[in-house]
């Protein structure tokens, strides 16, 4: 049966079957290793992140998710599987973002699917049911499956291969082929049985194969028929394609081959032009180093830097990878570092030559074009600390200015022997004040010229920085940069400057017309600008073509670097931020302030060197005022030039002014003390010059009158000082005190900075005069100091009148100082209020002293008074005599009003003592004899008192001497 199966083919063969059917492979090849199919459901990787989602977590549908065979156990439902046993089923709140779906939403789908459903139903009616066939097929399938179960599973494995020794041993055991031990017949039977078993297995498999082929024979023969038709169709198609290819070949020879050759030649031409342009560019780049050397020889640093930057960009973009230029980039970097050092050295040389040239030179700025070029180059290289070099040169030059001025002045003074006195400081200290004052004036004038020169130079530098800043700000504005329409691609080299080489070739010439059609190349004019300029792509204008020699290039450089034209030098490669530029501009402005401070500091050191031996402290008022005015003028001039106050010289002036004020005050206080110690408190004559001095004050201004140069008029001195129509009897000390006070006020006018100190010192002087005069007169100190025998009422009255004169001028002095003080200093004016109060108290004490003198006299005389004849009594005669003496002593010294007030107080004291004595004597106004005697004495007293000059109208009210009756 097995042989019959092997001899009869399962399907008939046709004539054309030889082309499609191959010979059955032999048994050796039938058991070749079979490549296993890929697992359609591969297992999940054993090591993976359990929280990371992979493709193995995807599920096709809900049954697939619930019946996943890879799960170790079955969860109760889908949700507890995913979220755990703690999941609680809750009602889902309808989403606000999802629409509510109704049947109306499926209406369009139903209308679209109706036609397809009709076609499907029609096909179901055409095709008969296959239930019978399916039952037969199922029965046959079950029978075949039962037969196939007889075949061992090893033959059904996809990796079955007899080459594997273990597989071979399982299929063909060696025990069946072992003939040793006299068991040959039994082994032969076993081998035959094994062969029959294998043949049986083969028959079962072939029968199943034949059965499967018979079931699908109809489809197989239909496929064979379709294969023949397809082969015929392919044959016809091949012939049609061959004819089409022949026609296309003929068309290609006739119509396309020539045109394509023209295109290839055109492309070859373009490539050759590119190669030529590249060679031209390489030739231009090759000349970079000699050109840089040529530019550096003429100090055109900006042009050299621009050329290096352009060449570096060309090397990085256009000539990248050129082997012959592999070292050129590093060489240019070293050359750029060398240029940085050269520019710093050149700027240092320029600063030195600019600051050390003669101050008489009218030119404010030295080689402005050179300065602008240097500053622009330093900015381009980000050397932002170049202003520090200029600051160091300012310090050195300021020292040299003072030194040179001292040398020039000393050389003109014959009294100073420079061979004996070697040091300049010692030579300077040998000058007198006029010589030293002229030297200081010369130094200040030189410093003013020096600062003006510095300001002009720094303004040029600052203007360059501000222009670069302005250009940066304008370049950031939207719509500022124009769009290049003719260029097919951006090229940084096109926006750079073209530089002249030794052979007359520009780098930009190598780019002219490249990658452009001939018409565009003709229309694009090359930009050839001078080596020292660097126009940006947005602000470039057509420049005249540079000459082909270095001399013409240098001429254009010198003419193109003026401040008005430096915008053309500002390119887009100026990589400075706005913050850096603003900080640099501020630092340059601060350098001007620093220059002013340096001049002031050097001036302070010059002053201190002269003040070591106390020279400045020994100056008189006129000399110190002249010095102060000179220094104030210099300070104001420097503030006007630099725009900021420098405090060092002002502080030194204030320090010297304080020393001057101390010496000024001590001299006058000592002078006043000596005058008071020698004052005999007698009325002094008033010279005409003091009257003129007082008259000048009455005009509203406090100033010492100028000395008349003509012949002096001989005017007699007056007895009194006339002030605002009032007569003041004064002592000589007060006249000099008034002059001293005016000197204080005049000093404040000359040196306003010492107003507060002068106010304090003047207050101290006035207080000293008040206290010292009180000690000498009221305290009777003049008895020991001067040797007076006694302090008379005339001395007291004269002292009071002198104090009143000072009190009269205190408001004038206060107003003078108030106009020269700052509002915040007005609190110091309270000193004058205190002084006025002290003076008034002193005047009141003098008046009280005069009254006390008469009071003691009344007490002495009236205590011995007796009411008896004769009338007037001796007591009253003595009282009237003393009253007359008192009146005679003070009437010419005090005003009439004060005299009357004084005698009213004396009369009150007299009435008090008389009343007390009458009460003691028990004399009453009863009209008796004693009353009459007392009335007669009182009438005598009243008549004598009212007979005195100025007291005629005095109301004595003598009725108060009597006790009032109760």
């Amino acid at each position: 049966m097995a042989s019959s199966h092997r001899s009869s083919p399962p399907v008939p063969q046709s004539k054309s079957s030889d082309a499609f059917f191959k010979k059955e492979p032999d048994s050796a090849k039938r058991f070749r290793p079979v490549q296993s199919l890929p697992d359609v459901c591969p297992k999940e990787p054993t090591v993976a992140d359990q929280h990371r989602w992979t493709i193995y977590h995807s599920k096709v549908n809900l049954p697939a998710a619930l019946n996943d065979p890879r799960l170790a156990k079955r969860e109760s439902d889908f949700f507890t599987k995913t979220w755990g046993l703690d999941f609680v089923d809750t009602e889902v709140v309808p989403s606000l973002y999802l629409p509510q779906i109704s049947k109306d939403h499926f209406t369009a789908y139903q209308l679209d699917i109706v036609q397809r459903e009709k076609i499907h139903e029609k096909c179901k009616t055409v095709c008969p049911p296959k239930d019978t066939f399916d039952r037969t097929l199922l029965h046959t399938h079950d029978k075949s499956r039962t037969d196939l179960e007889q075949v061992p599973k090893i033959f059904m494995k996809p990796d079955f291969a007899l080459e594997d020794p273990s597989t071979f041993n399982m299929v063909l055991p060696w025990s069946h082929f072992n003939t040793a031990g006299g068991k040959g017949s039994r082994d032969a039977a076993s081998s035959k049985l094994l062969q029959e078993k294998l043949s049986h297995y083969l028959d079962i498999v072939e029968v199943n194969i034949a059965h499967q082929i018979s079931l699908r024979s109809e489809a197989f023969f239909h496929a064979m028929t379709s294969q023949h038709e397809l082969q015929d169709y392919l044959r016809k198609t091949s012939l049609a394609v061959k004819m089409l290819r022949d026609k296309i070949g003929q068309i290609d020879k006739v119509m396309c081959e020539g045109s394509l050759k023209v295109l290839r030649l055109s492309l070859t031409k373009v490539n050759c032009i590119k190669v030529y342009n590249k060679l031209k560019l390489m030739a231009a780049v090759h000349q970079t180093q000699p050109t840089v050397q040529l530019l550096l020889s003429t100090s055109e640093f900006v042009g050299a830097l621009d050329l290096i930057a352009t060449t570096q960009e060309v090397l990085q973009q256009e000539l990248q990878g050129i082997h012959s230029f592999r070292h050129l980039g590093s060489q240019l970097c070293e050359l750029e570092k060398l240029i940085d050092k050269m520019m710093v050295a050149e700027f240092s040389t320029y600063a030195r030559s600019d600051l050390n040239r003669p101050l008489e030179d009218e030119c404010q700025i030295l080689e402005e074009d050179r300065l602008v070029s240097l500053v622009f180059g330093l900015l381009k290289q980000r050397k932002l600390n170049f202003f520090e070099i200029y600051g160091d040169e300012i310090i050195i030059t300021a020292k040299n200015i003072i030194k040179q001025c001292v040398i020039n002045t000393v050389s003109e003074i014959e009294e100073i022997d420079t061979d004996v006195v070697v040091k300049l400081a010692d030579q300077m200290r040998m000058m007198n004040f006029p010589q030293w004052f002229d030297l200081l004036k010369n130094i200040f004038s030189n410093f003013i010229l020096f600062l003006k020169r510095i300001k002009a130079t720094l303004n040029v530098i600052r203007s360059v920085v501000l222009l670069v800043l302005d250009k940066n700000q304008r370049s950031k504005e939207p719509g500022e940069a124009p769009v290049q329409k003719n260029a097919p691609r951006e090229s940084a080299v096109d926006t750079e400057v073209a530089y002249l080489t030794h052979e007359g070739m520009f780098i930009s010439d190598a780019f002219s017309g490249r990658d452009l059609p001939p018409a565009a190349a003709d229309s694009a004019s090359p930009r050839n600008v001078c080596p020292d300029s660097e126009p940006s792509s947005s602000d470039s204008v057509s420049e005249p073509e540079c000459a082909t020699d270095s001399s013409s290039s240098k001429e254009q450089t010198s003419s193109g670097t003026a401040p008005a034209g430096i915008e053309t030098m500002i390119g887009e490669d100026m990589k400075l931020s706005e913050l850096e530029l603003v900080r640099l501009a501020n630092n340059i402005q601060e350098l001007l302030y620093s220059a002013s401070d340096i001049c002031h500091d050097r001036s302070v050191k010059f002053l201190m060197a002269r003040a070591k031996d106390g020279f400045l402290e020994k100056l008189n008022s006129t000399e110190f005022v002249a010095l102060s005015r000179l220094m104030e003028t210099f300070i104001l001039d420097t503030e006007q030039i630099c725009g900021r106050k420098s405090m060092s010289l002002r502080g030194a002036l204030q320090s010297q002014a304080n020393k001057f004020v101390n010496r000024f005050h001590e001299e006058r206080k000592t002078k006043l003390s000596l005058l008071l110690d020698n004052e005999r408190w007698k009325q002094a004559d008033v010279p005409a010059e003091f009257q003129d001095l007082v008259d000048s004050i009455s005009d509203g201004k406090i100033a010492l009158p100028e000395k008349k140069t003509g012949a002096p008029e001989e005017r007699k001195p007056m007895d009194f000082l006339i002030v605002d129509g009032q007569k003041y009897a004064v002592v000589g000390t007060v006249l000099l005190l008034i002059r001293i006070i005016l000197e204080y006020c005049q000093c404040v006018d000359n040196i306003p900075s010492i107003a507060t100190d002068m106010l304090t010192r003047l207050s101290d002087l006035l207080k000293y005069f008040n206290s010292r005069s009180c000690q000498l007169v009221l305290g009777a100190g003049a008895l020991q100091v001067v040797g007076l025998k006694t302090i008379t009422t005339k001395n007291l009255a004269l002292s009071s009148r002198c104090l009143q004169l000072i009190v009269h001028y205190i408001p004038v002095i206060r107003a003078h100082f108030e106009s020269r003080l700052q509002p915040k200093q007005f609190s110091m004016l309270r000193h004058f209020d205190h002084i006025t109060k002290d003076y008034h108290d002193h005047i009141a004490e003098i008046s009280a002293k005069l009254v006390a003198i008469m009071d003691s006299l009344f007490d002495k005389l009236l205590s011995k008074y007796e009411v008896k004849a004769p009338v007037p009594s001796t007591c009253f005669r003595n009282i009237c005599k003393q009253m007359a003496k008192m009146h005679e002593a003070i009437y010419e010294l005090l005003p009439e009003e004060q005299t009357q007030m004084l005698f009213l107080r004396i009369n009150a004291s007299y009435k008090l003592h008389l009343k007390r004595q009458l009460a003691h004597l028990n004399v009453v106004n009863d009209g008796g004899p004693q009353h009459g005697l007392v009335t007669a004495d009182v009438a005598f007293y009243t008549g004598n008192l009212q007979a005195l000059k100025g007291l005629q109208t005095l109301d004595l009210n003598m009725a108060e001497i009597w006790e009032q009756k109760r």
Side-chain angles (χ1 to χ4, degrees):
M1 181 177 177
S3 62
S4 64
H5 280 293
R6 282 192 299 271
S7 62
S8 61
V11 291
Q13 296 182 1
S14 62
K15 294 181 180 180
S16 61
S17 62
D18 295 334
F20 299 95
F21 291 93
K22 300 291 183 179
K23 184 179 179 180
E24 183 181 359
D26 55 5
S27 61
K29 296 182 178 179
R30 187 170 55 188
F31 295 99
R32 68 182 182 274
V34 180
Q35 297 292 334
S36 62
L37 295 176
D39 191 359
V40 295
C41 187
K43 295 182 180 180
E44 294 184 15
T46 57
V47 180
D49 186 1
Q50 59 179 349
H51 299 292
R52 184 172 63 88
W53 190 93
T54 63
I55 59 173
Y56 302 110
H57 293 81
S58 62
K59 299 296 185 291
V60 179
N61 48 29
L62 189 58
L66 297 177
N67 297 321
D68 191 350
R70 293 169 295 175
L71 297 178
K73 65 178 181 177
R74 294 293 185 264
E75 285 79 5
S76 59
D77 55 12
F78 173 75
F79 301 104
T80 55
K81 166 187 174 296
T82 304
W83 290 296
L85 297 175
D86 296 334
F87 174 77
V88 179
D89 190 8
T90 58
E91 183 180 357
V92 179
V93 180
S95 175
L96 300 176
Y97 302 100
L98 297 179
Q100 295 293 331
I101 304 301
S102 61
K103 291 184 178 181
D104 296 336
H105 291 82
F106 298 96
T107 304
Y109 173 74
Q110 290 176 349
L111 294 176
D112 183 52
I113 208 67
V114 165
Q115 186 65 27
R116 298 182 186 180
E117 186 181 5
K118 292 180 180 179
I119 295 173
H120 176 66
E121 293 296 334
K122 184 177 180 181
C123 291
K124 286 173 65 177
T125 56
V126 172
C127 297
K130 297 182 180 181
D131 296 340
T132 306
F133 174 76
D134 292 339
R135 287 193 299 270
T136 305
L137 183 62
L138 181 60
H139 176 72
T140 307
H141 178 69
D142 293 339
K143 185 176 181 301
S144 300
R145 184 175 181 181
T146 304
D147 295 337
L148 284 175
E149 289 178 353
Q150 298 177 11
V151 180
K153 299 297 183 182
I154 190 173
F155 295 103
M156 301 300 177
K157 291 184 177 181
D159 57 347
F160 176 79
L162 288 176
E163 292 85 350
D164 188 5
S166 59
T167 305
F168 186 82
N169 291 332
M170 293 177 65
V171 175
L172 298 173
W174 287 106
S175 59
H176 295 178
F177 303 98
N178 190 2
T179 57
K183 298 179 183 180
S185 58
R186 192 174 59 181
D187 291 339
S190 299
S191 300
K192 186 176 181 180
L193 179 61
L194 177 61
Q195 184 177 4
E196 289 296 333
K197 187 187 297 184
L198 293 177
S199 298
H200 178 63
Y201 294 160
L202 178 61
D203 291 339
I204 292 173
V205 172
E206 287 181 350
V207 168
N208 278 276
I209 292 174
H211 178 67
Q212 294 294 330
I213 292 175
S214 65
L215 293 177
R216 294 169 175 81
S217 60
E218 183 179 355
F220 176 76
F221 287 113
H222 182 268
M224 293 297 298
T225 305
S226 300
Q227 185 72 17
H228 290 305
E229 293 177 357
L230 181 61
Q231 191 172 17
D232 294 339
Y233 180 72
L234 288 174
R235 190 180 296 108
K236 293 179 182 179
T237 303
S238 176
L239 292 175
V241 169
K242 183 178 180 181
M243 292 176 61
L244 181 60
R245 289 171 65 91
D246 293 339
K247 291 181 181 180
I248 290 175
Q250 294 176 1
I251 293 173
D252 179 56
K253 291 180 180 179
V254 175
M255 300 182 64
C256 299
E257 188 173 350
S259 300
L260 290 175
K261 185 176 182 181
V262 170
L263 292 176
R264 282 195 298 271
L265 292 176
S266 176
L267 182 61
T268 304
K269 179 182 178 181
V270 171
N271 292 334
C272 291
I273 291 174
K274 289 182 179 180
V275 173
Y276 173 72
N277 291 333
K278 190 74 72 174
L279 291 175
K280 284 179 63 179
L281 182 61
M282 292 176 63
V285 169
H286 183 66
Q287 297 298 324
T288 297
Q289 288 179 310
T291 307
V292 170
Q293 298 293 338
L294 179 63
L295 292 173
L296 293 180
S297 64
T298 58
S299 298
E300 295 180 4
F301 300 106
V302 178
L305 290 172
D306 290 339
L307 178 56
I308 291 175
T310 304
T311 306
Q312 290 278 25
E313 193 164 355
V314 170
L315 287 175
Q316 293 175 2
Q317 296 183 1
E318 301 296 330
L319 300 180
Q320 188 175 10
I322 303 298
H323 186 71
S324 59
F325 289 151
R326 64 187 184 278
H327 300 304
L328 183 58
S330 59
Q331 293 172 358
L332 292 177
C333 290
E334 294 297 327
L335 193 58
E336 187 174 0
K337 294 179 181 179
L338 176 62
I339 294 175
D340 290 348
K341 297 179 180 179
M342 293 178 65
M343 281 195 303
V344 173
E346 183 73 13
F347 184 80
S348 179
T349 303
Y350 173 85
R352 193 176 301 110
S353 59
D354 176 51
L355 296 176
N356 291 322
R357 59 195 170 101
L359 294 172
E360 294 78 12
D361 190 359
E362 295 181 357
C363 180
Q364 290 287 345
I365 304 174
L366 178 66
E367 299 180 14
E368 184 176 356
D369 299 342
R370 176 186 172 195
L371 174 61
V372 171
S373 178
L374 279 172
V375 172
F376 182 76
L378 291 169
L379 291 178
K380 187 178 180 68
Q381 294 303 107
R382 299 179 63 85
K383 300 293 182 182
L384 303 183
N385 59 343
F386 63 90
F387 63 90
E388 297 177 358
I389 301 174
Y390 201 78
D392 296 338
E393 291 297 330
I394 289 174
I395 297 175
I396 297 173
T397 308
K399 295 179 181 178
N400 293 335
I401 287 176
I402 294 181
K403 183 177 180 181
Q404 191 62 40
C405 289
V406 174
I407 292 174
N408 294 339
T409 305
V410 169
S411 63
E412 296 174 357
I413 300 175
E414 298 179 356
E415 293 81 1
I416 301 176
D417 189 357
T418 57
D419 296 333
V420 178
V421 183
V422 180
K423 293 184 179 180
L424 283 177
D426 297 336
Q427 296 173 1
M428 179 191 65
R429 293 189 185 98
M430 296 178 67
M431 301 178 187
N432 55 29
F433 179 77
Q435 295 170 345
W436 181 81
F437 186 77
D438 293 338
L439 171 60
L440 183 62
K441 187 185 298 183
N442 186 26
I443 291 174
F444 283 166
S445 61
N446 287 340
F447 273 154
I448 293 298
L449 296 176
F450 180 60
L451 288 175
K452 288 181 179 179
R453 180 174 295 175
I454 293 174
K455 182 178 181 181
T457 303
L458 293 181
N459 282 342
V460 173
I461 298 175
R462 195 165 184 266
S463 64
V464 174
V465 176
L466 293 179
L467 279 174
V468 174
L469 176 61
D470 181 66
K471 183 64 179 294
N472 285 357
Q473 292 175 346
R474 285 191 284 113
S475 64
K476 290 183 179 181
E477 295 178 0
E480 191 71 21
V483 181
Q484 297 180 355
K485 297 181 180 179
N486 295 329
R489 62 188 180 90
E490 294 183 358
S491 176
V493 182
D494 289 341
T495 63
E496 295 295 338
V497 186
Y499 296 102
L500 184 65
T501 63
H502 287 301
E503 299 178 358
M505 181 185 299
F506 292 90
I507 290 181
S508 62
D509 290 342
F511 291 92
S512 59
R514 62 178 183 145
D515 297 339
L516 294 174
D522 294 338
S523 62
S525 59
R527 285 186 313 166
N528 296 331
V529 240
C530 298
D532 65 323
S533 62
E534 186 181 1
S536 63
S537 60
S538 60
D539 293 323
S540 60
V541 294
S542 60
E543 298 284 344
E545 186 175 359
C546 292
T548 58
D549 58 346
S550 61
S551 61
S552 62
S553 175
K554 185 176 180 180
E555 291 174 1
Q556 292 191 15
T557 300
S558 62
S559 64
T561 55
I566 60 176
E567 281 202 33
T568 58
M569 302 173 63
I570 306 172
E572 291 182 352
D573 60 342
M574 190 68 67
K575 305 301 182 182
L576 292 173
S577 64
E578 293 185 12
L579 181 61
E580 291 176 327
L581 292 172
V582 170
R583 186 183 294 116
L584 179 59
N586 293 336
N587 288 336
I588 294 172
Q589 186 64 34
E590 287 293 333
L591 184 59
L592 179 60
Y593 302 151
S594 177
S596 175
D597 294 339
I598 290 170
C599 293
H600 282 232
D601 293 341
R602 301 312 305 178
S603 301
V604 169
K605 290 184 178 180
F606 178 78
L607 288 174
M608 294 299 103
R610 189 65 182 92
K612 281 186 177 180
D613 54 354
F615 173 76
L616 298 180
E617 298 178 8
K618 298 176 184 178
L619 299 179
N620 57 36
S621 300
T622 305
E623 292 173 344
F624 189 82
V625 167
L627 175 63
S628 176
R629 287 180 176 176
L630 178 63
M631 295 174 68
E632 284 288 348
T633 303
F634 174 70
I635 291 172
L636 293 177
D637 290 341
T638 55
E639 289 178 2
Q640 184 178 4
I641 293 173
C642 301
R644 192 176 74 173
K645 294 182 179 181
S646 296
M647 302 307 297
S648 58
L649 185 58
R650 195 183 297 274
L653 176 59
Q654 187 66 37
S655 176
Q656 292 299 324
N658 292 336
K659 295 179 181 179
F660 168 75
V661 168
N662 291 333
R663 183 181 57 81
F664 180 88
H665 176 64
E666 291 299 329
E667 288 179 355
R668 280 144 185 80
K669 189 174 181 179
T670 303
K671 181 179 180 180
L672 179 61
S673 177
L674 292 174
L675 290 173
L676 287 172
D677 289 344
N678 294 297
E679 180 61 58
R680 301 189 67 84
W681 297 99
K682 292 183 178 181
Q683 183 177 0
D685 295 335
V686 180
E689 58 176 331
F690 283 97
Q691 184 61 52
D692 295 338
L693 186 65
V694 171
D695 294 340
S696 66
I697 299 176
S698 62
D699 294 337
K701 58 180 181 179
I702 298 180
L704 294 173
E706 298 180 358
K707 295 181 179 180
K708 297 180 180 180
T709 56
E713 298 180 2
E714 294 184 0
R715 292 187 294 173
K716 295 181 179 180
M718 296 182 295
D719 295 334
F720 298 95
L721 186 66
I722 309 299
V723 179
D724 294 338
Q726 292 188 13
K727 292 181 179 181
Y728 284 88
V730 293
V731 296
T733 302
V734 173
L735 293 177
L736 294 176
L737 177 60
I738 292 176
R739 185 176 183 86
I740 291 173
I741 291 173
L742 294 184
E743 289 176 355
Y744 275 81
C745 296
Q746 184 70 35
C747 195
V748 171
D749 289 338
N750 295 329
I751 313 175
S753 61
I754 62 174
T756 55
D757 290 337
M758 277 296 182
L759 189 150
T760 305
R761 301 304 193 281
L762 181 57
S763 301
D764 180 66
L765 187 73
L766 293 175
K767 290 178 181 178
Y768 177 77
F769 173 76
N770 183 41
S771 61
R772 186 60 178 162
S773 61
C774 181
Q775 293 172 3
L776 293 173
V777 180
L778 282 178
L783 299 179
Q784 292 80 18
V785 176
V786 186
L788 296 180
K789 295 180 179 179
T790 182
I791 302 297
T792 63
T793 55
K794 193 169 186 177
N795 298 140
L796 292 171
L798 193 58
S799 175
S800 175
R801 196 57 175 159
C802 291
L803 293 173
Q804 293 175 22
L805 178 62
I806 301 301
V807 170
H808 174 79
Y809 281 114
I810 287 179
V812 180
I813 299 170
R814 178 193 175 105
H816 180 81
F817 276 92
E818 185 176 3
S819 62
R820 285 152 182 80
L821 291 177
Q822 299 293 331
K824 61 182 180 180
Q825 299 172 340
F826 284 170
S827 60
M828 299 186 67
L829 297 174
R830 68 180 185 276
H831 293 298
F832 292 110
D833 299 333
H834 298 161
I835 293 171
T836 303
K837 181 179 180 301
D838 293 341
Y839 272 66
H840 281 301
D841 293 343
H842 190 184
I843 293 170
E845 289 177 3
I846 293 175
S847 299
K849 183 65 175 178
L850 291 173
V851 174
I853 291 173
M854 297 305 296
D855 184 75
S856 61
L857 180 65
F858 293 150
D859 183 52
K860 180 180 179 181
L861 294 177
L862 290 175
S863 63
K864 300 177 181 179
Y865 173 62
E866 295 179 357
V867 183
K868 62 180 181 178
V871 178
S873 63
T874 305
C875 177
F876 273 78
R877 287 179 184 274
N878 291 332
I879 290 175
C880 290
K881 183 179 178 181
Q882 293 299 326
M883 294 285 279
K885 287 182 179 180
M886 170 69 76
H887 180 271
E888 181 182 1
I890 68 173
Y891 179 74
E892 295 293 335
L893 302 179
L894 298 178
E896 185 175 342
E897 296 82 2
Q898 293 185 21
T899 304
Q900 292 178 358
M901 291 298 298
L902 181 62
F903 273 90
L904 282 177
R905 293 177 63 186
I906 292 173
N907 181 62
S909 176
Y910 163 75
K911 291 189 292 184
L912 180 63
H913 285 282
L914 180 58
K915 183 178 181 180
R916 186 182 300 129
Q917 185 62 24
L918 292 176
H920 177 68
L921 297 175
N922 295 320
V923 178
V924 294
N925 55 344
D926 54 357
Q930 289 185 336
H931 177 259
L933 292 174
V934 173
T935 303
D937 287 337
V938 170
F940 174 76
Y941 165 79
T942 303
N944 278 278
L945 188 58
Q946 292 181 344
L948 297 177
K949 191 175 180 180
L951 303 180
Q952 294 83 359
T953 60
L954 200 64
D955 185 12
L956 301 178
N957 193 14
M958 297 305 296
E960 295 180 353
I961 64 175
W962 305 106
E963 289 287 345
Q964 298 293 332
K965 294 181 178 180
R966 297 180 180 178

